[in-house]
Amino acid sequence: MILIFTIQNDFSTSNVIKWLTHYGEKVVRINSDDGLHKLFKIDSKGIFFKNTRSSAIINLLDAKSCWWRRNGISKNSFLHDSDYQELMMNDFDLTSIKKDLISNEAEDLKNFIYHSVYQNTEINLGRPKFNLNKLITMNIAQNCGLKTPDYEIITNTDQIKQNDLSITKAISNGIYKVVNNYSFYSYTELIEYEEDVKAPLFPSLKMDLIKKTMEARVFFIEGHFFSMAIFSQSSDQTSIDFRKYNHKKPNKVEPYKLPASIEEKITDMFRELRLNCGSVDLILDDQNEFVFLEINPVGQYGMVSDPCNYSLDKKIAKYLINGRITEN
């Protein structure tokens, strides 16, 4: 059995499952956002989840491999209708206390399940830590010999200087939310100086703007690199953040081979982070030096795989089957 923790509308997961099914593998997909799988029990023999549609009982510890694609277990994996009810006692409304307790219990349960599965499975792609702290990751990159942008965490607008060429981005993963069929995202944005404006700020990341000749999106999996050059500076719309796609005139992209010295340093980073896959963002600056930006441990690889013909869905499926990357 191959276990995949993910979410409903992750197309990369669906594509990999098609390959696994083609190779005759049994796959259990647990989505954090559909409530299909609920915890049934945990005992000395295993961790058992029940499929609420088929009533099938699955022991997660039967998995030979696990793809830690996304956070597949949520609080809803443990909740039942009665858990949503208000709690009143002696005229006290204890609902908020109940919610806090349930949240804490659910988090510890989830962490125990993840730890047990990770330790038990023979093959793991990724690991049960789905977010990386950008600031810590940049420090690790520096220690591994990679160049990073200079940055500050500022708390007031008067810390923005007139001649600064700086950008700002979320310290965390930022916003990715759909509200009333409208999508809201946080992008990397150029900071605009405003004279005589002084106001306190929530601690915000201010980072030097890098003059680039191109940027690279790299998918790393178990020591193998699949890289793509993105010529995002060719469009004003994408020059600061290539995710602001220019659909009328898309950025030119092409397969790319990183210098061996950069690949070695990135490999050291992944080893330090105890990760075996993820997406890496780099910039090639106007001094012909690569500048590290960040690692996404989830690894959004479709945008690299398809235009560069890397067939990463198939490679990931084969890795989950036999624990190694193959050429075909």
Side-chain angles (χ1 to χ4, degrees):
M1 181 180 88
I2 293 174
L3 178 62
I4 302 176
F5 291 114
T6 186
I7 57 175
Q8 287 188 78
N9 295 319
D10 189 87
F11 296 110
S12 294
T13 300
S14 300
N15 291 337
V16 170
I17 289 175
K18 289 177 183 177
W19 279 109
L20 291 170
T21 303
H22 170 76
Y23 291 125
E25 297 290 331
K26 178 184 176 182
V27 182
V28 173
R29 173 179 184 159
I30 297 183
N31 300 318
S32 63
D33 54 351
D34 64 6
L36 181 60
H37 291 90
K38 296 277 191 179
L39 179 66
F40 181 67
K41 70 173 181 176
I42 299 174
D43 62 21
S44 60
K45 296 179 181 178
I47 298 170
F48 299 91
F49 272 65
K50 184 176 183 178
N51 185 310
T52 57
R53 188 176 300 156
S54 69
S55 297
I57 306 296
I58 304 148
N59 184 355
L60 301 192
L61 298 189
D62 285 341
K64 71 173 184 180
S65 65
C66 182
W67 186 16
W68 303 89
R69 174 65 181 162
R70 292 182 183 271
N71 209 338
I73 296 177
S74 70
K75 184 168 61 176
N76 292 330
S77 303
F78 313 117
L79 290 174
H80 301 280
D81 291 343
S82 60
D83 295 319
Y84 294 98
Q85 296 174 2
E86 294 182 352
L87 177 62
M88 303 294 297
M89 187 176 292
N90 298 330
D91 296 327
F92 286 99
D93 184 352
L94 304 180
T95 305
S96 62
I97 295 175
K98 175 184 174 181
K99 287 181 178 178
D100 288 345
L101 178 60
I102 286 175
S103 293
N104 293 336
E105 295 286 288
E107 187 66 19
D108 277 9
L109 260 176
K110 181 186 74 172
N111 290 337
F112 171 75
I113 292 167
Y114 282 166
H115 173 80
S116 300
V117 172
Y118 187 76
Q119 295 297 321
N120 188 74
T121 48
E122 183 181 336
I123 300 167
N124 284 289
L125 185 58
R127 64 184 176 95
K129 182 174 175 62
F130 302 93
N131 297 310
L132 294 177
N133 185 299
K134 289 178 185 175
L135 303 179
I136 294 173
T137 305
M138 279 200 291
N139 285 344
I140 293 173
Q142 293 168 6
N143 293 336
C144 290
L146 289 164
K147 184 177 179 181
T148 63
D150 289 335
Y151 72 89
E152 297 176 89
I153 304 297
I154 62 173
T155 58
N156 197 292
T157 55
D158 64 7
Q159 293 168 311
I160 301 169
K161 305 307 177 185
Q162 184 170 4
N163 296 321
D164 280 351
L165 283 175
S166 304
I167 55 93
T168 186
K169 62 196 301 186
I171 297 172
S172 65
N173 282 339
I175 298 168
Y176 179 87
K177 197 167 184 66
V178 178
V179 180
N180 297 330
N181 293 323
Y182 286 90
S183 297
F184 294 85
Y185 308 96
S186 52
Y187 292 104
T188 300
E189 300 287 357
L190 189 68
I191 295 176
E192 296 182 4
Y193 172 77
E194 295 185 37
E195 191 174 4
D196 298 328
V197 175
K198 293 186 178 182
L201 295 171
F202 182 84
S204 302
L205 179 62
K206 173 175 164 284
M207 186 178 289
D208 283 357
L209 176 66
I210 306 295
K211 294 181 180 179
K212 61 185 175 182
T213 58
M214 69 163 207
E215 53 190 297
R217 169 60 71 92
V218 182
F219 185 66
F220 173 94
I221 177 168
E222 199 63 62
H224 295 259
F225 289 82
F226 302 91
S227 304
M228 180 177 75
I230 308 169
F231 297 94
S232 55
Q233 77 284 359
S234 62
S235 168
D236 289 340
Q237 183 173 322
T238 60
S239 62
I240 301 297
D241 192 326
F242 77 87
R243 295 172 300 170
K244 293 184 176 182
Y245 304 115
N246 187 333
H247 295 287
K248 292 183 178 179
K249 190 178 179 181
N251 294 152
K252 178 185 175 183
V253 298
E254 61 184 38
Y256 188 80
K257 174 64 176 173
L258 289 171
S261 61
I262 298 298
E263 289 188 350
E264 289 172 6
K265 292 169 183 176
I266 292 174
T267 300
D268 289 343
M269 269 200 76
F270 274 88
R271 190 178 296 116
E272 180 73 18
L273 292 165
R274 295 186 293 112
L275 273 174
N276 63 356
C277 73
S279 291
V280 185
D281 290 336
L282 301 164
I283 284 176
L284 184 65
D285 66 15
D286 57 355
Q287 303 299 311
N288 208 37
E289 291 186 291
F290 278 97
V291 182
F292 170 85
L293 298 180
E294 63 182 279
I295 289 177
N296 178 357
V298 170
Q300 297 290 2
Y301 62 84
M303 62 165 292
V304 174
S305 181
D306 294 341
C308 296
N309 295 315
Y310 286 142
S311 301
L312 290 176
D313 293 319
K314 184 178 181 181
K315 286 180 169 59
I316 287 171
K318 286 196 169 184
Y319 183 86
L320 290 169
I321 294 169
N322 56 44
R324 64 180 185 274
I325 297 296
T326 58
E327 292 300 321
N328 298 316

